[in-house]
């Protein structure tokens, strides 16, 4: 069950508040950021906003002062007196900007990935076509499970995150039909090499660890994929990547 601290929507032209719309299924884009602490800190804030504006331009949804207005609405909805452990979501279509804050729940080590046959529309972009994924996720406990999106016998990404596949001392990531998020790109700079290749479902048995990487999941280790009897063989790279991530959190500046 998702618990919201805040849900607000605004008209593009006037920034007048209107009834809240989550915008799922619309033509539009969104970004989800981790907000934490008191005063508030937002992890990778500038990179999230940069990616959001880039996607707006690709979908021809940008306009004069759109970035300035987005920043204004975020600032309006962050309370300096509150202590946060939330996910800040900004969603935008042709007419509406929606801002929401929901509780961030910490994933557990006992974590299962459920495989479903689905590829997102325009998967290289963080668009709002998520209704089928959300239908599955609404039936799950986000601390213990997620869906793994599969297409043509290949695994792509989870319903919420990028995925890393560990074999020996090498880290692999699907090469196509995924959105490479801000957290993914953070690790791309930190690690020696991420090998991009198509990850066949039939090859998953060869991997020692499967990690989910994203704003909500941070670094999450998959324990099982029950449909194919996969079980992790260790936690080595989960611990390595978690340490990188925790150090970045400790350096995150206060949001101003």
């Amino acid at each position: 069950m998702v618990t919201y601290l805040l849900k607000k929507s605004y008209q593009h032209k006037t920034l007048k508040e209107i009834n809240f719309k989550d915008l799922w299924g619309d033509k539009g884009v969104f970004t989800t950021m981790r907000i934490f602490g008191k005063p508030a800190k937002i992890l990778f804030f500038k990179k999230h906003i940069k990616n959001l504006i880039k996607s707006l331009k690709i979908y021809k949804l940008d306009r004069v002062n759109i970035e300035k207005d987005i920043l204004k609405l975020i600032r309006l909805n962050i309370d300096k007196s509150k202590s946060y452990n939330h996910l800040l979501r900004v969603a935008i279509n042709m007419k509406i900007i929606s801002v929401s804050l929901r509780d961030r729940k910490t994933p557990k080590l006992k974590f299962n990935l459920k495989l479903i046959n689905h590829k997102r529309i325009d998967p290289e972009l963080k668009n709002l076509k998520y209704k089928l994924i959300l239908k599955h996720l609404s039936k799950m406990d986000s601390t213990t499970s997620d869906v793994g999106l599969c297409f043509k016998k290949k695994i792509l990404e989870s319903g919420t995150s990028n995925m890393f596949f560990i074999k020996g001392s090498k880290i692999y990531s699907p090469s196509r039909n995924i959105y490479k998020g801000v957290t993914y790109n953070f690790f791309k700079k930190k690690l020696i090499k991420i090998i991009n290749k198509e990850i066949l479902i039939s090859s998953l048995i060869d991997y020692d660890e499967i990690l989910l990487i994203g704003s909500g999941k941070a670094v999450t280790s998959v324990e099982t994929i029950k449909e194919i009897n996969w079980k992790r063989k260790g936690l080595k790279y989960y611990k390595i990547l978690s340490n990188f991530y925790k150090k970045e959190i400790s350096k995150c500046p206060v949001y101003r």
Side-chain angles (χ1 to χ4, degrees), residues 5-6 35-42 71-84 101 254-256:
L5 177 66
L6 176 143
I35 179 170
F36 60 97
K38 178 184 176 181
K41 300 178 180 181
I42 304 177
L71 295 175
K72 180 179 179 178
L73 293 177
I74 291 173
R75 193 174 298 112
L76 179 67
N77 286 291
I78 292 178
D79 187 339
K80 293 181 180 180
S81 68
K82 287 188 179 295
S83 180
Y84 289 98
L101 283 160
V254 171
Y255 172 75
R256 300 187 187 281

Side-chain angles (χ1 to χ4, degrees), residues 43-205:
L43 193 61
F44 307 130
F45 179 70
K46 290 182 179 180
K47 292 176 182 177
H48 276 287
I49 298 301
K50 182 180 178 180
N51 281 4
L52 183 64
I53 300 303
K54 180 180 178 182
S55 294
L56 285 169
K57 289 178 179 178
I58 292 171
Y59 277 116
K60 301 187 186 305
L61 296 171
D62 62 316
R63 57 169 175 75
V64 176
N65 292 327
I66 185 68
E67 182 173 357
K68 180 181 177 181
D69 288 343
I70 291 168
L71 295 175
K72 180 179 179 178
L73 293 177
I74 291 173
R75 193 174 298 112
L76 179 67
N77 286 291
I78 292 178
D79 187 339
K80 293 181 180 180
S81 68
K82 287 188 179 295
S83 180
Y84 289 98
N85 181 24
H86 293 78
L87 294 174
L88 168 63
R89 176 177 175 266
V90 180
I92 304 170
N93 68 7
M94 184 65 74
K95 297 181 179 180
I96 296 170
I97 302 171
S98 289
V99 179
S100 63
L101 283 160
R102 69 181 189 272
D103 287 349
R104 180 187 177 270
K105 297 181 180 180
T106 303
K108 299 174 182 177
L109 276 178
K110 190 174 179 64
F111 195 97
N112 181 67
L113 193 69
K114 179 183 178 182
L115 304 182
I116 65 171
N117 185 36
H118 181 65
K119 182 183 75 169
R120 291 190 303 105
I121 297 170
D122 294 341
E124 291 83 8
L125 297 170
K126 199 76 168 176
N127 60 63
L128 289 162
K129 303 295 184 179
Y130 261 74
K131 284 199 169 181
L132 179 62
I133 296 170
L134 292 172
K135 183 179 178 180
H136 284 277
L137 294 179
S138 68
K139 301 173 185 177
M140 295 179 166
D141 178 349
S142 63
T143 67
T144 60
S145 56
D146 198 350
V147 292
L149 309 184
C150 303
F151 183 69
K152 293 185 177 180
K153 299 181 179 181
K154 303 177 185 74
I155 189 162
L156 306 173
E157 55 193 347
S158 90
T160 62
S161 309
N162 288 120
M163 300 176 69
F164 287 161
F165 301 82
I166 317 299
K167 186 192 298 184
S169 60
K170 294 181 179 179
I171 300 176
Y172 297 86
S173 170
S175 55
R176 301 172 57 204
N177 294 315
I178 65 168
Y179 171 74
K180 295 181 180 179
V182 170
T183 312
Y184 175 102
N185 286 314
F186 163 72
F187 283 115
K188 185 178 179 181
K189 290 182 178 180
K190 285 288 181 183
L191 301 171
I192 295 172
K193 188 175 184 182
I194 297 172
I195 301 169
N196 296 117
K197 63 175 290 187
E198 294 185 331
I199 309 291
L200 297 172
I201 297 171
S202 60
S203 73
L204 291 178
I205 194 68

Side-chain angles (χ1 to χ4, degrees), residues 183-240:
T183 312
Y184 175 102
N185 286 314
F186 163 72
F187 283 115
K188 185 178 179 181
K189 290 182 178 180
K190 285 288 181 183
L191 301 171
I192 295 172
K193 188 175 184 182
I194 297 172
I195 301 169
N196 296 117
K197 63 175 290 187
E198 294 185 331
I199 309 291
L200 297 172
I201 297 171
S202 60
S203 73
L204 291 178
I205 194 68
D206 299 329
Y207 292 94
D208 305 319
E209 297 180 62
I210 298 174
L211 304 177
L212 307 187
I213 306 295
S215 296
K217 291 295 186 287
V219 181
T220 296
S221 175
V222 176
E223 182 192 35
T224 55
I225 304 177
K226 293 178 181 177
E227 297 101 309
I228 59 171
N229 295 316
W230 183 89
K231 190 168 184 177
R232 69 175 171 232
K233 301 176 181 70
L235 291 165
K236 178 181 176 181
Y237 277 84
Y238 164 72
K239 292 176 181 177
I240 291 171

